Amino acid sequence: MKMLNRSAISIQLKQPFVDWINSLDEEGEQVTLEEVNLEATTYLIPELEDEDALEVFIDERHFELLENELLSWEDDDSYWPADMDRALFDEFLDVKLSFMVFDLDEQAPLLATVLDEVDDVD
């Protein structure tokens, strides 16, 4: 077991985000809060000391995180909310912090792919 020099945040959607998802195709199948949160997104972040440090991190990176969550549901940003500010982040997303992160995979080394450099993420 290896302890990583990272913390992690897990992001789950709140009801206003689900309402936005359902507004994208009102005639199509609608999703529920429970359904969308069966799988949370987890982000490895720099090691944080406390909740105050998390608030500073979110203040600095809220746009990037919100953008990624919206992109996972709709790639045309013209359908996204106009004000991508911290207030929208707080309205749409719930963040849970894990201070310590461990890697239990003894076989495979950690690898990274920078998404901005990938032509086709499918």
Side-chain angles (χ1 to χ4, degrees), residues 64-78:
E64 180 182 2
L65 294 165
L66 184 55
E67 180 180 51
N68 194 58
E69 294 300 316
L70 291 168
L71 186 59
S72 68
W73 290 95
E74 175 58 59
D75 59 0
D76 183 349
D77 63 1
S78 68

Side-chain angles (χ1 to χ4, degrees), residues 94-121:
D94 186 33
V95 177
K96 302 287 188 225
L97 174 65
S98 296
F99 287 103
M100 294 188 294
V101 178
F102 294 90
D103 183 0
L104 295 176
D105 188 339
E106 302 292 333
Q107 303 298 319
L110 288 174
L111 300 175
T113 300
V114 180
L115 291 179
D116 293 341
E117 297 174 3
V118 176
D119 290 332
D120 187 13
V121 181

Side-chain angles (χ1 to χ4, degrees), residues 26-91:
E26 293 177 358
E27 302 297 320
E29 185 176 334
Q30 301 290 287
V31 296
T32 67
L33 183 63
E34 182 178 275
E35 290 170 336
V36 299
N37 283 327
L38 289 174
E39 297 181 20
T41 305
T42 301
Y43 298 89
L44 293 179
I45 62 173
E47 281 185 294
L48 300 179
E49 297 288 326
D50 54 33
E51 294 286 334
D52 291 337
L54 174 62
E55 286 303 309
V56 170
F57 179 83
I58 297 294
D59 281 342
E60 293 172 352
R61 306 290 293 271
H62 72 273
F63 181 85
E64 180 182 2
L65 294 165
L66 184 55
E67 180 180 51
N68 194 58
E69 294 300 316
L70 291 168
L71 186 59
S72 68
W73 290 95
E74 175 58 59
D75 59 0
D76 183 349
D77 63 1
S78 68
Y79 292 103
W80 295 1
D83 294 324
M84 300 274 288
D85 57 10
R86 175 65 195 261
L88 182 68
F89 180 94
D90 292 337
E91 179 183 355

